[in-house]
Amino acid sequence: MNRESLILKLTQQVEPWDIIVIGGGATGLGIAVDAVSRGYKTLLLDQADFAGGTSSRSTKLVHGGVRYLAQGDIYLVIEALYERGRMLRNAPHLTSNQEFIIPVYTRWDIFFYSVGLFCYDVLSGYLSLGKSRYINRKRTLERIPQLQPDGLRGGVVYHDGQFDDSRMAISLAHACLERGGVLLNYFRINGLKKNDQGKVTGVIASDLESGREYDLNAKVVINATGVFADQIHMMDDPGSKPTLRPSQGVHIVLDSSFLQSESAFIIPKTDDGRVLFAIPWYGKVVVGTTDTPMDTSEVEPKALESEINFILNTVGNYLVKRPKREDILSIFAGLRPLAANPGKLSSTKEVSRRHKITLSPSGLLSIVGGKWTTYRLMGKETINRAIKAGMIEKRKCITRALLLYTVPIEFSNRLKIYDHGASEIGKMIELDRELGKPIHPTLPYTKAEIIWICRNEMPRTLADMLARRTRALFLDVRASAEMAPEVASLMAFEMGYGTKWQEQEIEKYNQLILNYL
């Protein structure tokens, strides 16, 4: 990915784009990949970085939703389970089969969760990741040594998927570019273009780096901006009513010593009616999440102290070693763009987790809601809606079996997340062993990775590199801050910037990390 060449391609486009997608998160990228793989001329613009918002702050799960099964939302569960299977098959370099254990303390718990998860297995059909089963107390504690043994009868084992969300976003961006699409980060939408009949015919956008404004025409404009969807709706119709009920989900990251296991565990019922996960991820433990209704949408949401304490107290009740505030390595918050009926915003527990696609009288196509697991389906259904409305010619969706990796992968290699870049990074290290040494002793990232990312993945800021191209910020805030100067220096050299850029980026990054502490 080279931003300068993509901007040149943008300026050389004479005919209208078939599709302009606003938003570079899971939904927007899924739509762009679907569109370009069908042969439509596709452009995607995001006001920040790819997956810069909610899409990089998930629970890192590819799942059907055991909670939705308990709520009786069978259709949503079936839909997500099938998409889970396809996602693990199409992106094996970024996904994995994760074992989960539900600790059980009564005979009723054993029966209830065993039956429920048997249904979960059946609903997944031929895309099942493994059979659920009950294991006794001894085997449960062997799997998760740090689990509180008092009153424990055993555990119910089941399987779901795990992944790296922002790396998946970059993989989708690559897939789109390889098929002729154009994707640009740090491009803000200033307004929608309309013809004399009031129909949307394109967008007015500006490059936030150069300040240059672009007049862009398209047959279809798709609003896939997540929690900011209503802002685009207001551009289309200043009198439009809210369509979203934002909900904040907070996660904390702990050292692996709090779990000491490759298995995850799930607390099936918390005080607020949600489930809580404790999941091994890149050598750390991710614990979450919460469900807090929010009145506003922020680019960088901040966890509330009440949310942090809730997670610490809840997971602490299930662990031998109770985590304390000072044990937290990172805290991250994301806003779920839950779809609600316009003007009738209910509590977040009453809002469906399924996506919702709408077409305004002006022809603006919007999608809100949904989750990472169903990104492919959301892309398919959005493009199909545009076809049904007669906005573009009919072409068949092919993403069901669209592979997101390009070369055979050595799956024991940590560098597999870079797909074809793994061998290129390996060759860099062979030529210069210094490039293969970790930049920080507690994180795995090397100089070679930073250099390769600069040359291939279009990071524009230090935060792009440390939060999303690598996951340093999410794994250990303090360690990421300590490696920031060296990373900024490497980036500046590769991107042709001077010391002033480095100083500014380090200062901005030090301000950003306050939200993660």
Side-chain angles (χ1 to χ4, degrees):
M1 291 193 289
N2 182 281
R3 196 170 188 273
E4 288 70 28
S5 63
L6 290 172
I7 291 176
L8 179 61
K9 192 174 179 179
L10 179 71
T11 60
Q12 293 174 340
Q13 179 74 23
V14 177
E15 295 180 356
W17 297 90
D18 290 321
I19 293 165
I20 292 179
V21 182
I22 309 172
T27 307
L29 288 164
I31 293 168
V33 170
D34 186 283
V36 77
S37 65
R38 298 195 203 202
Y40 299 118
K41 295 189 293 291
T42 305
L43 169 67
L44 179 145
L45 304 173
D46 194 287
Q47 68 174 346
D49 188 29
F50 306 119
T54 304
S55 295
S56 61
R57 306 158 199 246
S58 73
T59 314
K60 321 307 178 191
L61 294 181
V62 188
H63 65 127
V66 290
R67 185 166 67 95
Y68 312 142
L69 182 64
Q71 293 172 347
D73 199 339
I74 304 298
Y75 180 73
L76 177 61
V77 174
I78 293 174
E79 183 180 83
L81 283 171
Y82 273 72
E83 289 304 309
R84 178 193 72 177
R86 293 175 183 130
M87 191 166 166
L88 265 71
R89 181 185 60 198
N90 294 342
H93 60 309
L94 293 169
T95 60
S96 61
N97 185 332
Q98 176 64 57
E99 180 182 87
F100 287 80
I101 297 176
I102 300 179
V104 288
Y105 296 87
T106 67
R107 292 184 184 275
W108 169 249
D109 284 345
I110 297 171
F111 172 77
F112 180 77
Y113 295 118
S114 294
V115 171
L117 289 167
F118 171 76
C119 295
Y120 195 64
D121 293 343
V122 170
L123 291 174
S124 64
Y126 72 94
L127 291 172
S128 171
L129 299 181
K131 291 183 179 180
S132 61
R133 64 196 185 280
Y134 167 73
I135 57 175
N136 62 28
R137 182 178 186 273
K138 180 182 178 182
R139 294 181 67 186
T140 300
L141 292 173
E142 285 174 351
R143 274 179 162 80
I144 307 180
Q146 290 300 302
L147 199 61
Q148 178 59 251
D150 295 347
L152 183 71
R153 286 181 175 268
V156 179
V157 178
Y158 76 99
H159 293 260
D160 248 327
Q162 187 186 59
F163 80 133
D164 184 329
D165 46 18
S166 69
R167 291 300 315 174
M168 179 66 74
I170 296 302
S171 188
L172 289 171
H174 275 296
C176 187
L177 290 169
E178 287 163 1
R179 289 160 180 80
V182 174
L183 298 91
L184 289 162
N185 48 3
Y186 298 98
F187 254 74
R188 183 178 60 211
I189 302 302
N190 299 327
L192 300 176
K193 294 182 63 180
K194 293 186 178 182
N195 61 18
D196 294 340
Q197 290 75 46
K199 296 294 184 179
V200 173
T201 60
V203 301
I204 304 296
S206 57
D207 179 357
L208 295 181
E209 290 192 2
S210 68
R212 180 178 174 181
E213 191 167 79
Y214 294 82
D215 187 313
L216 304 167
N217 298 313
K219 297 175 183 177
V220 184
V221 174
I222 300 174
N223 173 15
T225 54
V227 293
F228 302 106
D230 283 335
Q231 293 182 15
I232 305 298
H233 292 154
M234 290 290 288
M235 288 182 185
D236 180 38
D237 176 10
S240 63
K241 295 181 179 179
T243 62
L244 294 171
R245 180 57 169 167
S247 167
Q248 179 160 284
V250 169
H251 300 79
I252 65 171
V253 178
L254 301 170
D255 184 75
S256 61
S257 62
F258 285 92
L259 195 60
Q260 295 182 18
S261 175
E262 293 301 314
S263 299
F265 79 87
I266 173 176
I267 300 169
K269 192 173 182 180
T270 64
D271 293 341
D272 71 344
R274 287 189 60 80
V275 298
L276 199 74
F277 296 96
I279 307 166
W281 190 66
Y282 286 147
K284 310 295 182 184
V285 182
V286 175
V287 186
T289 180
T290 58
D291 190 359
T292 307
M294 305 299 286
D295 295 324
T296 59
S297 298
E298 304 290 340
V299 174
E300 283 291 341
K302 186 175 182 179
L304 305 175
E305 280 299 318
S306 58
E307 293 176 300
I308 299 167
N309 291 333
F310 167 78
I311 294 173
L312 285 172
N313 291 333
T314 303
V315 77
N317 291 334
Y318 286 78
L319 295 175
V320 173
K321 181 182 176 184
R322 294 183 69 95
K324 300 177 182 178
R325 188 67 168 78
E326 56 266 28
D327 294 317
I328 298 176
L329 300 176
S330 183
I331 302 164
F332 59 95
L335 296 176
R336 305 179 189 90
L338 303 183
N341 293 324
K344 297 180 180 179
L345 299 183
S346 50
S347 72
T348 53
K349 292 184 180 65
E350 297 170 341
V351 179
S352 173
R353 261 52 176 175
R354 198 178 194 281
H355 57 278
K356 183 176 181 180
I357 302 170
T358 58
L359 184 64
S360 75
S362 70
L364 176 68
L365 192 58
S366 297
I367 176 168
V368 295
K371 59 181 182 176
W372 249 118
T373 305
T374 56
Y375 84 88
R376 189 205 68 85
L377 184 66
M378 291 190 287
K380 173 185 174 181
E381 292 186 356
T382 304
I383 297 301
N384 284 349
R385 181 65 178 274
I387 293 171
K388 185 177 180 181
M391 304 166 81
I392 48 177
E393 64 183 74
K394 184 176 181 179
R395 295 175 186 172
K396 186 179 179 181
C397 173
I398 65 167
T399 57
R400 184 172 179 175
L402 185 70
L403 300 180
L404 296 176
Y405 63 99
T406 58
V407 296
I409 299 163
E410 176 55 57
F411 288 100
S412 63
N413 188 343
R414 183 186 65 81
L415 297 179
K416 67 184 180 181
I417 60 173
Y418 302 110
D419 187 20
H420 65 276
S423 60
E424 295 174 9
I425 293 169
K427 289 176 183 176
M428 291 170 63
I429 294 171
E430 285 179 9
L431 292 172
D432 185 350
R433 291 294 177 183
E434 283 299 313
L435 297 181
K437 295 179 180 178
I439 297 171
H440 192 279
T442 66
L443 292 172
Y445 305 111
T446 63
K447 294 179 182 180
E449 288 168 77
I450 302 302
I451 293 169
W452 185 89
I453 289 169
C454 285
R455 295 173 182 176
N456 294 275
E457 295 189 342
M458 219 156 72
R460 310 309 298 170
T461 70
L462 186 57
D464 294 346
M465 181 66 77
L466 293 175
R468 290 171 289 278
R469 304 301 185 278
T470 71
R471 308 316 308 271
L473 174 61
F474 287 76
L475 294 172
D476 190 329
V477 177
R478 295 168 186 84
S480 77
E482 290 168 4
M483 66 187 284
E486 186 165 1
V487 172
S489 177
L490 290 167
M491 290 181 69
F493 180 81
E494 284 296 322
M495 298 163 64
Y497 296 133
T499 55
K500 185 177 181 181
W501 180 89
Q502 295 180 51
E503 292 168 358
Q504 290 174 340
E505 285 299 309
I506 293 169
E507 184 178 351
K508 285 192 295 182
Y509 189 72
N510 287 336
Q511 286 298 312
L512 172 68
I513 65 175
L514 298 178
N515 279 355
Y516 294 77
L517 288 169

